[in-house]
Amino acid sequence: MTTSGAFETQVKAFSSLSVDEQLGLFWVIYTAMGGSITPAAPGASTVSPTIAQGLFEQVKEKSHEEQLEIMRDLINRKSTLITREYGALSDTTKLLFWYLLAQGMDKTTIIPVPADYKISSQAQDIFNEISAMEYSEQITLFRDIVAPMGVDATTGGVDATTGL
Ligand code: 45D
């Protein structure tokens, strides 16, 4: 896990939300960014599309309820096979994986958010702050948000509930 440290305040604000609020906020950010998501510097980035796609396919095969649990596990850093695989990805590949999940939600191959879903006012404040940032700053922030998710198997201990 490597974080830039540049947006520590925003990362802390994001992660201080409940797990479901983090998911809800991340979803609303995705819908707002939508088509504007493009690779920052093609070639220069350490992204591994095949690896992200492979992990995404594993999640896609699960039921909607299981998919939601997997995303909660990632944020909670619960040790499972999937969260450990996630922990081994580069930060940009982690971000691509979340992007694939969000695209899957659009197609409802991944659990969709109910149409009437509303984020909390606390989450809305964070959303407004992020909206005012440059795209390149947003990427750095999102990388810092998704980097510590999942479990780094080289440093993580054993989870009593899963034995992993
Ligand atoms: O019923 O260099 C709730 C790449 C409760 C390329 C829920 C890139 C209610 C390389 C919890 C709300 C493209 C990677 C349900 C760069 C309820 C490169 C469920 C840039 C069902 C720079 C909520 C990538 C759920 C970028 C399931 C900028 C929420 C990527 C799930 C940005 C939310 C990606 C998800 C973003 C959000 C992804 C999956 C913003 C994903 C957001």
Side-chain angles (χ1 to χ4, degrees):
M1 163 188 130
T2 50
T3 55
S4 74
F7 298 105
E8 222 181 301
T9 316
Q10 289 86 347
V11 173
K12 281 209 179 106
F14 197 102
S15 53
S16 72
L17 298 171
S18 74
V19 169
D20 278 15
E21 275 182 337
Q22 291 181 47
L23 284 173
L25 173 57
F26 210 23
W27 168 251
V28 170
I29 290 169
Y30 166 78
T31 55
M33 292 182 85
S36 71
I37 297 175
T38 47
S45 130
T46 58
V47 69
S48 305
T50 321
I51 306 276
Q53 190 69 39
L55 190 57
F56 170 73
E57 295 296 332
Q58 291 184 50
V59 179
K60 203 177 81 172
E61 285 169 11
K62 312 273 186 191
S63 71
H64 277 176
E65 279 313 310
E66 286 171 319
Q67 292 167 349
L68 182 54
E69 272 319 298
I70 289 166
M71 290 186 251
R72 287 174 174 148
D73 289 348
L74 284 169
I75 295 174
N76 283 324
R77 282 180 247 175
K78 179 173 168 182
S79 185
T80 69
L81 287 175
I82 288 183
T83 62
R84 286 184 162 233
E85 282 190 47
Y86 176 94
L89 306 179
S90 74
D91 294 348
T92 306
T93 306
K94 287 174 182 168
L95 191 54
L96 177 57
F97 171 71
W98 281 102
Y99 181 48
L100 294 176
L101 286 174
Q103 287 183 318
M105 292 169 70
D106 270 338
K107 296 179 204 137
T108 72
T109 54
I110 301 292
I111 183 172
V113 170
D116 60 356
Y117 178 76
K118 292 269 183 301
I119 57 173
S120 66
S121 65
Q122 202 191 340
Q124 183 67 45
D125 289 345
I126 300 170
F127 175 84
N128 294 343
E129 203 179 322
I130 295 172
S131 298
M133 292 165 55
E134 303 281 345
Y135 178 61
S136 64
E137 295 177 326
Q138 292 173 341
I139 290 170
T140 304
L141 171 63
F142 299 154
R143 260 198 219 112
D144 286 357
I145 287 172
V146 302
M149 291 179 182
V151 174
D152 180 346
T154 61
T155 58
V158 174
D159 187 309
T161 58
T162 61
L164 291 171

